[in-house]
Amino acid sequence: MTTKLHVAVDSLGNPVRVILTAGQISDIGQAGALIKDQPAEFIVADKGYDSDAFVETITAQGSQAVIPPRANRLNPRTFDRHIYKDRNLIERFFCRIKQFRRIATRYDKLAQSFLSFVHLACAFVWLA
């Protein structure tokens, strides 16, 4: 009944990869697919992406993980709080595409139709 958008943005807040999944799918399950073949100096993500396996994937790719540790970690990792402030770019991206009523209310019955309009909205974000 629900869907979830997993999006990776560049340093300007422009979308570079969009994945649509069912609403019950966790964020960390799509994390590897979001950053695959995406060269970056830093990968900035929220606590939902805090996983040892994902951090190892990031470092193997040659990037630095800027992910705050979850509260239940026994040995919390350190992260650069200054760089983490740029995570608001993804939040601003979602606010921009939710200006499209069709995305905010999810009128489309088919996932393919919804994803097509999300890509169209992403094109508008790139042009703006």
Side-chain angles (χ1 to χ4, degrees):
M1 296 294 286
T2 62
T3 55
K4 187 185 286 188
L5 284 173
H6 305 271
V7 181
V9 297
D10 63 7
S11 61
L12 299 175
N14 297 320
V16 292
R17 185 162 291 156
V18 178
I19 300 172
L20 182 71
T21 61
Q24 68 270 17
I25 302 297
S26 67
D27 291 337
I28 193 68
Q30 298 301 315
L34 279 176
I35 67 165
K36 184 178 181 184
D37 301 328
Q38 296 290 333
E41 188 175 349
F42 300 102
I43 303 292
V44 182
D46 63 359
K47 290 182 181 185
Y49 293 93
D50 181 29
S51 159
D52 291 332
F54 183 54
V55 171
E56 288 175 16
T57 302
I58 292 171
T59 54
Q61 186 172 303
S63 302
Q64 180 182 348
V66 182
I67 304 171
R70 289 187 179 162
N72 63 353
R73 269 195 176 264
L74 297 177
N75 299 320
R77 279 182 295 97
T78 59
F79 69 102
D80 191 340
R81 292 181 186 273
H82 181 70
I83 295 172
Y84 185 70
K85 291 178 183 178
D86 289 336
R87 197 186 73 76
N88 71 45
L89 291 170
I90 190 71
E91 303 299 335
R92 288 190 285 166
F93 166 75
F94 277 111
C95 287
R96 274 189 245 144
I97 67 167
K98 285 186 179 180
Q99 297 299 312
F100 294 91
R101 184 175 169 192
R102 188 171 174 173
I103 292 174
T105 55
R106 179 65 161 87
Y107 284 139
D108 299 305
K109 286 185 178 182
L110 300 176
Q112 182 179 3
S113 300
F114 179 67
L115 187 58
S116 298
F117 198 78
V118 168
H119 284 132
L120 182 62
C122 289
F124 278 107
V125 169
W126 268 97
L127 294 173

